[in-house]
Amino acid sequence: MRIPLGNFGVRGPDPVQHTRISGDGIDAAARAAQNLGNTGMQIAGDVLLEERRKKEEDDRSRASVAVIGHQSAVQDAVDSLKERLSTGELSRDKAQEAFTGAMTKVREQTMGEVPHWLREQAGVRLQGSEQRAMLGLNRFVDGLRRDELAGNLETIRDTMAKDAGRPGADIDKLNAEFETAAKHLGPQAGIGTDKLGKLVQDFKDRNWFNQAQARAMSARDSLDDLQALEKELSDADGYYVGRLDTEKRNVLISSVISHRMRLESKIQLTADRREASAERTIAKIDQQIASGVPATPDMWVQWEKETLGTTQAEAFRDRIRSEEEVQRLLREPPEKQAAFLQEREATLLQGGGTLRDRANLDRLKRVVDNTRKQLQESPLLFAQGRTGESVKPLDLGMLLDPERGKEVAGLIGERVATVAALRSQYGDSVKARVLLPNEAEALGRTLDKLAPDQQVEIFRAMRQTIGDDVTYQGTLSQIAPDSPVKALAGALVARGTDYVKSNVFSPDETIAARQTAQLALLGESLLNPTKGQKATDGKTSTWIMPKKADMLRRFNDKMGDAFAGTPQAMDSQFEFVQATYAGLLASRGGAKNPEMIDAALFEQAIERTTPVMKQGGASFLKPAVGMSDDHFREKLRAALPDDLKPQYDRLPLRNVRSNQYVILNGARPLTDAAGNPVIVTVQP
């Protein structure tokens, strides 16, 4: 290796030395020059040959590179063609033409600068790579064709599978058609024989399985269809035995059995519910029949729907007959109703009968009893049920509004007429009540909240509006069913006359009946305050009274046997006297010793509330408070038969009603020639 020395160690030029040349030397020089020329020519030829050799080597090198590039370009071109074939941009039938064009283009691009003579030499290699690429492309095209055929076969399978899932599909026909298509397309698609056979068998199994499964789903609400399908799946000669393997049949059988058991439970539950509903319907019918109010045609239609197909259907038909019988019976007078029931009862006892006959008779009895009770206790509701005409409601505020007196009188008048008509038709057992149950309850609650003077005003307004003592008395029993003091105070307001109190050292004092009623109500509020009264003053009852036994003994001594046989009436009258006594004490500011009976005051309480009179050894009540004994005897003599008039002041009497009396003959009533008790009506 030469090491550059730079300018260091450079030797300067040597001095020129002159040489002398001889003739021989000149010839030698000429020859040398000629030799030198020849040598130069040879050197130039060698250089040219070298350059040619180098160029050939370069061309060969470039040709080698081009061949390698050609191979890569061929692969790229084939990959591009495959991509286009895969995407569908290039169809398979154009693949060869596209390949040829691509190869021509590849050669032009890769071998364009390669000398022609080298192209010819590389042609074999180029053709080999292109042929290999063409074979690969052909294999790819064949693969695409097989994939397409396999896809077509899959499409055929899916389409036929959908057709197999349609209702009424012919599974055998579809399976055969698919098997034919599979045998034709399968080999072309490159599907092996074993795989193709499994494909066909799976298709058949799936179709049969789906069909059976679809049948199970569609039959899940039909017990008959489920039972039929279960038989086809499980029986040895069942429809699906040769069409489905055991495992799939077991799966379906389990599903079908599950659906069947669920449906059986549902059907049983539905039936039980229908039966229970039908039983409730029969109970409603019985309740309707027992009310005595005829059911509407729409009600009977609905009841028939609710019992149809149940064990209660016959009971429904029986209720129709019972309703007809009940309505016929209810149109009869009470005595005929009783006679009919007695006759039916006797027939059953003597001739026997079924449980249904017994039930029908019991139902008739309940209807008659309920109707009789409603007729007696709530005549307005009875009339409303019979006529279908609603009773016009009564505004209780009208009773205290003088400006609406005519309106109230009109409404009450309609009700009084209705009740009177019922009493005329069915007898005095029909209570003279002109308030609806809810009205009576509301009025009772209102009275409980009012002061005694306000209560008396309500009673006075009611009596004036009703205008009839019997009806007014019946109405009082409605609004004060549990308070005899209120009822009797109300009656005193309506029927009582002025009470004359005798004084020794001062003029006699006249006391109005309403004052006595107000005192009784005051005493009742002290002895038995209502919830409303307690809420008003916030106090409980602390009013001290004499012992009840002592007061009751004095009361009984005064009454004698006036209340013989009517203990309830006696108890009510005693409470009235007791409340009046308490009111009298309160009006005087109480008593110094309240536990002791004030005899005079207690006597006054009796006289102002209980018009007892004794005659002929018997005790009885006069028609009104304040009526003197002489006045009563005058009225009695006027009312007696002529043969009894001479004895008017000695006849023993017993109350029948407030102003009606039976004449006693010893312990028994005096009878007329026909054997009927002699009853005398004494007007106040």
Side-chain angles (χ1 to χ4, degrees), residues 393-457:
L394 177 64
D395 183 358
L396 299 179
M398 297 177 178
L399 295 173
L400 297 176
D401 189 352
E403 295 182 359
R404 304 183 70 180
K406 291 183 178 179
E407 184 180 355
V408 177
L411 289 175
I412 294 293
E414 292 179 5
R415 297 185 178 192
V416 170
T418 299
V419 174
L422 292 174
R423 286 170 62 85
S424 175
Q425 181 179 358
Y426 295 103
D428 292 344
S429 62
V430 179
K431 295 181 180 179
R433 296 181 170 182
V434 294
L435 294 180
L436 294 173
N438 62 311
E439 295 171 347
E441 183 179 356
L443 183 55
R445 290 196 302 268
T446 301
L447 285 173
D448 288 343
K449 299 176 183 177
L450 297 178
D453 58 332
Q454 294 173 311
Q455 293 181 29
V456 169
E457 191 61 29

Side-chain angles (χ1 to χ4, degrees), residues 104-123:
T104 300
K105 187 176 181 180
V106 167
R107 285 196 181 196
E108 290 176 354
Q109 291 175 347
T110 58
M111 306 299 292
E113 296 181 1
V114 176
H116 183 71
W117 63 276
L118 283 176
R119 293 183 194 178
E120 294 178 351
Q121 291 181 8

Side-chain angles (χ1 to χ4, degrees), residues 241-549:
V241 170
R243 293 174 170 83
L244 284 173
D245 59 41
T246 303
E247 182 179 354
K248 289 186 174 62
R249 281 193 293 114
N250 288 337
V251 170
L252 289 169
I253 288 172
S254 176
S255 176
V256 170
I257 291 176
S258 177
H259 284 316
R260 174 176 58 78
M261 294 177 66
R262 177 192 59 80
L263 186 57
E264 287 174 344
S265 298
K266 180 180 179 181
I267 291 173
Q268 184 61 46
L269 180 60
T270 302
D272 292 343
R273 286 177 176 173
R274 284 214 66 207
E275 288 293 336
S277 177
E279 290 178 3
R280 290 194 298 270
T281 298
I282 293 298
K284 286 192 293 185
I285 297 174
D286 287 342
Q287 186 177 6
Q288 182 70 32
I289 294 175
S291 71
V293 179
T296 64
D298 290 341
M299 294 168 69
W300 284 109
V301 170
Q302 181 61 32
W303 290 336
E304 183 179 21
K305 290 180 180 178
E306 293 173 358
T307 56
L308 189 64
T310 69
T311 58
Q312 300 299 321
E314 180 60 30
F316 171 77
R317 291 188 288 270
D318 182 63
R319 294 311 188 272
I320 293 178
R321 294 188 292 270
S322 181
E323 167 75 351
E324 295 172 352
E325 189 174 37
V326 163
Q327 292 305 316
R328 283 197 303 270
L329 183 60
L330 291 179
R331 286 191 287 270
E332 299 291 341
E335 59 274 10
K336 287 189 177 182
Q337 294 177 3
F340 176 85
L341 293 175
Q342 290 174 1
E343 182 182 352
R344 183 68 64 86
E345 181 81 31
T347 301
L348 277 178
L349 292 175
Q350 296 173 7
T354 63
L355 292 176
R356 181 178 298 171
D357 294 333
R358 179 77 255 179
N360 288 337
L361 178 58
D362 291 341
R363 191 179 302 114
L364 282 173
K365 286 182 177 180
R366 288 195 300 272
V367 173
V368 171
D369 290 343
N370 291 340
T371 303
R372 184 183 298 115
K373 182 178 180 181
Q374 186 184 55
L375 174 62
Q376 294 175 352
E377 303 294 331
S378 303
L380 293 177
L381 292 180
F382 177 87
Q384 179 176 274
R386 290 301 174 276
T387 63
E389 297 179 359
S390 299
V391 179
K392 295 180 181 179
L394 177 64
D395 183 358
L396 299 179
M398 297 177 178
L399 295 173
L400 297 176
D401 189 352
E403 295 182 359
R404 304 183 70 180
K406 291 183 178 179
E407 184 180 355
V408 177
L411 289 175
I412 294 293
E414 292 179 5
R415 297 185 178 192
V416 170
T418 299
V419 174
L422 292 174
R423 286 170 62 85
S424 175
Q425 181 179 358
Y426 295 103
D428 292 344
S429 62
V430 179
K431 295 181 180 179
R433 296 181 170 182
V434 294
L435 294 180
L436 294 173
N438 62 311
E439 295 171 347
E441 183 179 356
L443 183 55
R445 290 196 302 268
T446 301
L447 285 173
D448 288 343
K449 299 176 183 177
L450 297 178
D453 58 332
Q454 294 173 311
Q455 293 181 29
V456 169
E457 191 61 29
I458 288 285
F459 290 138
R460 185 192 63 79
M462 286 176 55
R463 174 61 184 85
Q464 291 179 351
T465 301
I466 292 173
D468 173 71
D469 281 341
V470 174
T471 305
Y472 174 70
Q473 194 69 31
T475 304
L476 287 177
S477 67
Q478 282 187 276
I479 62 178
D482 300 321
S483 178
V485 173
K486 285 189 178 70
L488 291 171
L492 185 61
V493 170
R495 294 187 289 104
T497 58
D498 292 342
Y499 167 72
V500 179
K501 177 184 176 185
S502 299
N503 295 320
V504 177
F505 301 105
S506 62
D508 292 346
E509 183 180 357
T510 300
I511 302 173
R514 58 182 301 178
Q515 291 179 281
T516 302
Q518 185 172 329
L519 284 173
L521 293 172
L522 172 61
E524 177 69 2
S525 67
L526 294 172
L527 299 177
N528 301 298
T530 63
K531 291 182 179 179
Q533 291 166 342
K534 290 178 181 178
T536 301
D537 58 19
K539 299 178 181 179
T540 59
S541 176
T542 58
W543 192 257
I544 301 175
M545 292 282 286
K547 292 181 179 180
K548 182 178 179 180

